[in-house]
Structure formats: structure tokens, C-alpha cells
């Protein structure tokens, strides 16, 4: 075991190649998006008005389709 291994919580994740990391993060983002669209009325209404579904997000560039959230959005719908 090297000195760097001692300081790592999860060696596999913390040393993952950048491309694999991006893929994993994007896959997790898609799962999160699907969950909030199913479970959170604010997102269901907001994205529904725009006609956005979880299936519309297939690439990082598709994130441009999602509306920005403001601090007041988060406060009002907490």
C-alpha cells in the first residue's frame, strides 16, 4: 500500500480516468433528473411547460435545454 492509498476514501473512484468519471457523473445526473421529474411537482410543472422529459437529455450539450433555477425558485418550492 502506498502513501497515497492511505489518504483516499475510495481508490477506484478517486483515480478513475476522466472519461469514465464524466460518464458515471452523467449517468447519475440522468437518474436524478428522472427522479425529480417523477417525484417533485415543481420540476414536473416547470419542465412540462417547456415539454422537457428525462429522455430529452442524452448528451451534456442537452443540458442547455434545462431552465436556470433562481434562488427564489428554490426558496418558494422548498
Amino acid at each position: 500500500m502506498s502513501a497515497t492509498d492511505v489518504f483516499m476514501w475510495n481508490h477506484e473512484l478517486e483515480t478513475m480516468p476522466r472519461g469514465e468519471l464524466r460518464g458515471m457523473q452523467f449517468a447519475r445526473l440522468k437518474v436524478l433528473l428522472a427522479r425529480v421529474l417523477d417525484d417533485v411537482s415543481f420540476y414536473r410543472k416547470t419542465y412540462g411547460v417547456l415539454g422537457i422529459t428525462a429522455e430529452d437529455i442524452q448528451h451534456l450539450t442537452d443540458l442547455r435545454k434545462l431552465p436556470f433555477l433562481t434562488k427564489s425558485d428554490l426558496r418558494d418550492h422548498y
Side-chain angles (χ1 to χ4, degrees):
M1 183 181 297
S2 71
T4 56
D5 292 336
V6 175
F7 299 108
M8 290 188 184
W9 176 75
N10 186 323
H11 189 270
E12 182 182 344
L13 291 177
E14 293 182 46
T15 59
M16 183 180 290
R18 178 106 22 221
E20 287 180 40
L21 177 62
R22 284 188 181 133
M24 181 189 68
Q25 289 171 331
F26 188 68
R28 289 179 176 182
L29 175 66
K30 288 174 60 171
V31 169
L32 174 65
L33 181 60
R35 189 174 74 230
V36 299
L37 286 172
D38 285 342
D39 298 340
V40 182
S41 64
F42 169 73
Y43 290 102
R44 198 170 35 251
K45 289 176 191 172
T46 302
Y47 291 9
V49 167
L50 298 172
I52 297 171
T53 67
E55 293 79 29
D56 294 332
I57 309 302
Q58 296 298 319
H59 303 282
L60 280 176
T61 55
D62 293 335
L63 294 178
R64 295 179 182 152
K65 298 175 183 178
L66 302 178
F68 279 101
L69 295 176
T70 64
K71 188 182 257 187
S72 63
D73 289 333
L74 298 174
R75 283 185 188 144
D76 296 343
H77 303 284
Y78 180 69

